Amino acid sequence: MTSASVEDALAALGDLLSADGAQASVVVVGGAALIVLGYVDRVTQDVDVIASRSDGGTLVPPDLSDAVWRAARTVARDFELPSDWFNTEVAAQWRGGLPPSLIGSLVWRRYGSLDVGFAGREALVALKLFAAVDGGPGGVHFQDLLRLAATTEELAEAAVWVKTQDASPDFAGMVDEVARRAAGGR
């Protein structure tokens, strides 16, 4: 999906929710956020939902209603998207903790009865740095990190959070190496 097709799919999802008398408020990270906010020009296979926004405005792990899942299945069929185009797999990140910058960096857009908070640049740098440690320099996460053109200072700040995500003895060194390569890759 491109930026236009991500937004078209989200608009269709929001319209279906409106027709069903339902609503949802979600937080999106990953490629969809990067693309919609204009940080990268590439395609993505899915929309990664990491959180929901409660009625009180706080972020909570996504517990999406049946109406949301029905609407997502309809959009997948109508737009010929994979059945998991809209998914919460990334929400497993709640176990390790979310980047501290996530809440303050959200860029909210409304699509019918669907509010979507796209993770902002600072949170995306942290999440992409974390993902790039596993994916290596040839992977899409590292390439996205390069496209974000994070400064050395931004990478160092993101690395503080990323290092809290894995207690293995070699992980911190791996994070520093990926950050060093990303800083030098601009």
Side-chain angles (χ1 to χ4, degrees):
M1 295 187 291
T2 63
S3 175
S5 58
V6 168
E7 292 207 88
D8 288 345
L10 292 172
L13 180 61
D15 289 345
L16 288 167
L17 289 173
S18 293
D20 199 17
Q23 61 183 26
S25 185
V26 299
V27 174
V28 170
V29 298
L34 288 162
I35 293 165
V36 168
L37 295 179
Y39 294 122
V40 300
D41 183 19
R42 68 168 177 86
V43 298
T44 188
Q45 297 297 312
D46 59 5
V47 173
D48 297 314
V49 176
I50 197 166
S52 293
R53 183 172 60 175
S54 72
D55 290 340
T58 60
L59 297 187
V60 296
D63 182 19
L64 304 179
S65 69
D66 289 342
V68 172
W69 293 119
R70 269 193 314 276
R73 284 191 301 274
T74 300
V75 171
R77 182 197 68 213
D78 292 352
F79 284 69
E80 299 180 355
L81 297 172
S83 61
D84 64 346
W85 77 273
F86 187 82
N87 67 77
T88 59
E89 291 176 25
V90 72
Q93 185 58 55
W94 279 83
R95 287 191 296 270
L98 302 179
S101 58
L102 181 65
I103 294 171
S105 75
L106 294 173
V107 177
W108 289 95
R109 296 201 179 156
R110 186 165 187 84
Y111 303 92
S113 289
L114 176 67
D115 288 325
V116 179
F118 293 99
R121 187 173 174 283
E122 188 177 346
L124 289 168
V125 167
L127 290 163
K128 286 299 179 174
L129 176 59
F130 182 30
V133 173
D134 287 334
V140 68
H141 301 300
F142 184 77
Q143 297 307 311
D144 286 344
L145 191 57
L146 291 178
R147 289 182 188 109
L148 283 164
T151 66
T152 303
E153 293 79 22
E154 290 171 324
L155 289 164
E157 188 173 309
V160 170
W161 171 76
V162 174
K163 289 176 185 179
T164 68
Q165 301 302 298
D166 188 326
S168 66
D170 297 331
F171 187 72
M174 293 166 52
V175 171
D176 289 338
E177 178 61 21
V178 172
R180 186 188 62 74
R181 285 183 181 208
R186 285 184 261 96

